[in-house]
Amino acid sequence: MTYEKEFNQFLSLLKKEDKEQSVLYALSLLESKKVEIEELYKIFLAPSLMYFECDVDDVEICIWKEHHRTSIIRTILESSYAYIVKRKESIQSLHKKVVVLTPSFEYHEIAAIMVSHFMLLQGFDSSYIGANVPKADIISALRSYQPDYIAFSVTNPYNIVVTEQVCAEIKRFFPEVKIILGGQAFKNQAALPKIKYDYLLDNFDDIKKFADEVKA
Ligand code: B12
């Protein structure tokens, strides 16, 4: 299904910076079961940020607008968590823990939050531990959570270097933890041979395929 009419309606609310109505509209789609959580994320929320553009006469205030739209999307994500918890009752647990994060200097966190939610919907015990997480805190999280997987979302190619350093450390001290990489930074795969990782996933559909592999 394309949901063109609904998406245009959502986008027009976002363009008006109408947080209240944007949040209520998105949640009404879930409440009425018109769209599934996965569809809301893939068809409504992600594109509304990916294709965000500044109006030519708006350039001065564009960054502020980008922050505001991100804040609206983030509120919808956090609010949809209640629907995820409800859905989880009917999802079989994989008994596998995942921590999801963005590394130091990486502030783009929307994809990471969505990845964590998609993981929950696939039966992983998933925890989003934040954006811009320093190496020491990542190590500390691994020590206390003892996850099976750690998933990095990296957007800015400059942050590949820090990712490479953290991954080397993880493989040194926690060789049993499998490393998942994803995000725009890896579109150009030239840097990948230097990084120690186990899985490279491109999009949300890859999470389902990955879960199927884990189940098999
Ligand atoms: C919102 C936004 C911001 C917000 C982020 C707020 C927040 N709390 O997250 C703010 C304003 C802070 C910001 C800052 C900056 N941003 Co910015 N930002 C964006 C924007 C508009 C949307 C990003 C987003 O959330 N998309 C929605 C998510 C769902 O999509 P996604 O990240 O692409 O993820 C998809 C896949 O990559 C994948 N995925 C991602 N991670 C993972 C992980 C796993 C495990 C898996 C399976 C999949 C997966 O799943 C998603 C669905 O397919 C993009 C525009 C764009 N075209 O992407 C620019 C963009 C990413 N930003 C950009 C830039 C340059 C910056 C700044 C450097 C700007 C500046 N000069 O200050 C800073 C850097 C800040 C930092 N240190 O990180 C550039 C990056 C260019 C590049 N390749 O380097 C973009 C592309 C804008 C542009 N066209 O130039 N930004």
Side-chain angles (χ1 to χ4, degrees), residues 45-46 49-52 63 66-67 70 74 105-112 114-115 119 151-159 180-184 187 201-204 206-207:
L45 306 189
L49 287 173
M50 282 170 183
Y51 307 117
F52 178 84
I63 294 291
E66 192 174 286
H67 277 275
T70 311
R74 206 193 149 123
F105 314 115
E106 184 59 75
Y107 298 165
H108 297 97
E109 64 174 344
I110 298 297
M114 290 185 179
V115 164
M119 292 274 191
F152 288 86
S153 175
V154 189
T155 301
N156 197 318
Y158 288 116
N159 297 329
I180 303 169
L181 300 180
Q184 293 183 30
K187 292 278 180 228
L201 306 183
D202 186 49
N203 54 46
F204 300 141
D206 282 358
I207 296 173

Side-chain angles (χ1 to χ4, degrees), residues 54-192:
C54 296
D55 290 337
V56 183
D57 33 337
D58 245 9
V59 178
E60 298 264 307
I61 53 169
C62 193
I63 294 291
W64 173 85
K65 286 194 163 202
E66 192 174 286
H67 277 275
H68 190 230
R69 183 173 295 193
T70 311
S71 123
I72 297 175
I73 300 300
R74 206 193 149 123
T75 300
I76 298 169
L77 282 179
E78 299 298 0
S79 310
S80 63
Y81 184 73
Y83 292 87
I84 293 176
V85 174
K86 267 190 224 157
R87 265 266 297 278
K88 269 185 73 187
E89 288 163 9
S90 60
I91 297 169
Q92 205 186 346
S93 170
L94 296 176
H95 302 289
K96 298 281 182 198
K97 280 195 212 172
V98 190
V99 290
V100 185
L101 56 94
T102 83
S104 281
F105 314 115
E106 184 59 75
Y107 298 165
H108 297 97
E109 64 174 344
I110 298 297
I113 300 172
M114 290 185 179
V115 164
S116 180
H117 289 184
F118 270 92
M119 292 274 191
L120 288 168
L121 291 169
Q122 288 302 321
F124 289 96
D125 175 1
S126 174
S127 304
Y128 169 63
I129 64 163
N132 185 25
V133 185
K135 190 164 72 178
D137 291 335
I138 295 176
I139 298 299
S140 155
L142 293 185
R143 197 163 287 131
S144 59
Y145 271 127
Q146 302 189 331
D148 300 278
Y149 303 96
I150 179 165
F152 288 86
S153 175
V154 189
T155 301
N156 197 318
Y158 288 116
N159 297 329
I160 287 179
V161 175
V162 75
T163 307
E164 183 191 326
Q165 290 163 355
V166 184
C167 289
E169 199 131 325
I170 293 171
K171 282 296 171 198
R172 187 160 160 230
F173 294 110
F174 306 93
E176 70 287 1
V177 178
K178 301 282 184 233
I179 300 175
I180 303 169
L181 300 180
Q184 293 183 30
F186 304 111
K187 292 278 180 228
N188 175 350
Q189 302 198 348
L192 282 169

Side-chain angles (χ1 to χ4, degrees), residues 188-205:
N188 175 350
Q189 302 198 348
L192 282 169
K194 285 195 189 161
I195 310 178
K196 295 193 168 81
Y197 70 98
D198 298 282
Y199 306 94
L200 175 68
L201 306 183
D202 186 49
N203 54 46
F204 300 141
D205 293 333

